[in-house]
Structures are given as structure tokens and as C-alpha cells.
Amino acid sequence: MTFALTASTEDKALHLELTPQSALDVGAAVFHGVDITPGTAIPSDGDPRIDKALPGFLFTCGPDHIRHPVQVEGATDGRRYPLHGSLSSHPARDIQIEADEGEVVCEGHVDVALAHGGTAALSRRWRADRLTGHITLDDLVTNTGEMSWPPFAMYHINFGTGLFDADTRLTGAMLPGGSVPWRFEDGDMRIFCVPAAETAAHGWAEISVGPIAALGGRSVHIRFRIDTLPWLQVWRNQSAGCAVLGIEPVSHRLAAREALIASGEAPDFAPGESVGYALSFEVR
């Protein structure tokens, strides 16, 4: 079962399939008649939750952990934080969709059981402007348990690179020289993480992917709030059978969880405390 978030722009629709069985993340993303997601052209790290999420346009990493698994602090039973944290695959509840002439809004809530034994709640709100095709996501994560823990967040926005050609680039003020080829550096798989807050304007950073010939030479523009997502991670994989690029606004630099906590970059999050994140997408 999916919920559609559709907005019209010119004579074609921008259409996102929201997945209530997995936190109202995004499966198919059809812009100007073209699904830009990687589909089956993805790698597997052996976690079935992520194998189901990565083919889609967006999945959310956190709120208790990001990146690769590590042992839970103080655990004596071998418990580990799962790949990309605990949120993925938790179902959404109390989903509501409202539409009028101007916009479509989809809201839902996700109760999350965390790897270290705590709990969290995600309140999620998607909005699509029917006239411009501008899409926004507002998230609020609340510590609903009885223990403190450091919150982490990463948004994986996935493109199928089979749509790209030699003219397609990544453009943003946080990038070296302001722009890099989509197939940056040599080799089949590469990743980098750069600070985005220093070059952001009005509290938001922006990166674009394009031009994409299949979208009529348009680019996909991604904006994200830098007070809680001050870093941008970019990942690509063109190894055998893979054709995927990930644009990943993230709460923390690319470093070990232990190092981030020890340096004070990942302070504790008290029971009842909340933290908000926001993204937006537009094709132009």
C-alpha cells in the first residue's frame, strides 16, 4: 500500500509514492514522466530493511544511529545499532491526507523502538504545491523513553545514474569549486562528506543534480535546514549491477560514533526533548 503525493507543473505531474509500511519514506519518484529512482540497480549490505528502502527515492537514517553498525554502548549481550539506525521499516500510523486547489498535505506518526532500548516518535509532514511542484518535508523527532541518548539523522536521496550523462553535475556552494561531475573521482564507489552550514543562505543549503536529459535538461534541486543537518554526504556506486547516486543531508560529519560522542558533537537528548529537520525538492 502506498499514498501518492502529486503536484502538477506545466502539463506533467510530479508524483511521489509514500510508503506507510516504512515510515512514510518515498518509493517511486516520477518527475515529468520519468522515475528517477535507482530501482534494482543498488548494492546490498545484507540488511533486508535497507535492501527494500534503497531502491526508492528517499529513506531516513536514524534517529539513534547513522551509517554502519557498531555495538551499543555498554551492552554486554552483543547488541549492535543496525545499518543506518532503527527507524527504517517502522510503520506509520494516523496517516491523514488533505488536498485543496493549492497543495496536497500528508501527515503521519511513527513509533520507533531503538536498538539501545529507548523509544522515539517521528511526526512527519509532506507538502506538495500543486502549481509549482515544490515538495517539502518537515520532521520532528521526540525522545519518548526514560533514558537520554544522542540523536542522529541522515536523509538518503537516491538517483538512478543510468539517467545521467557527461553533462550531469552536482552543483552547490558547499562543493569544491561549487560544482563536481556526478561521477566524481576514479573507481566504482566513492563517498565524501563536507560542511554545508558555512556556505548556506538564510538557514538552508542547496545542491542540484543536473542537467538530466531525460527530464528535458532540468535539474533536481534539494534544499535542507542546516541548524540540524549541517553536513552533506554524497555517495555513488557504479560497481557491477549498480547505478546509484546518494545525496545525503546529515547531522554529523563522517566519523566514528564513539569519536563524535567523545568530542561533544553528539550530546545527549533528554526524555521529552524534540529536534526538527526539514528538506525540500523541486525540478526546474
Side-chain angles (χ1 to χ4, degrees), residues 66-67 152-155 157 174-175 192-200 205-207 222-234 247-255 260 263 265-266 277-279:
I66 53 177
R67 305 183 176 114
F152 293 84
M154 181 189 289
Y155 292 83
I157 303 162
M174 76 291 290
L175 301 175
F192 67 81
C193 187
V194 293
E198 297 172 3
T199 55
E206 180 172 337
I207 181 171
I222 301 166
R223 299 178 70 239
F224 53 98
R225 219 177 90 184
I226 51 86
D227 58 333
T228 49
L229 298 168
W231 296 82
L232 175 69
Q233 184 168 296
V234 180
I247 302 295
E248 301 169 347
V250 60
S251 57
H252 295 79
R253 62 186 172 93
L254 185 55
L260 293 171
S263 67
E265 295 170 78
Y277 308 97
L279 309 170

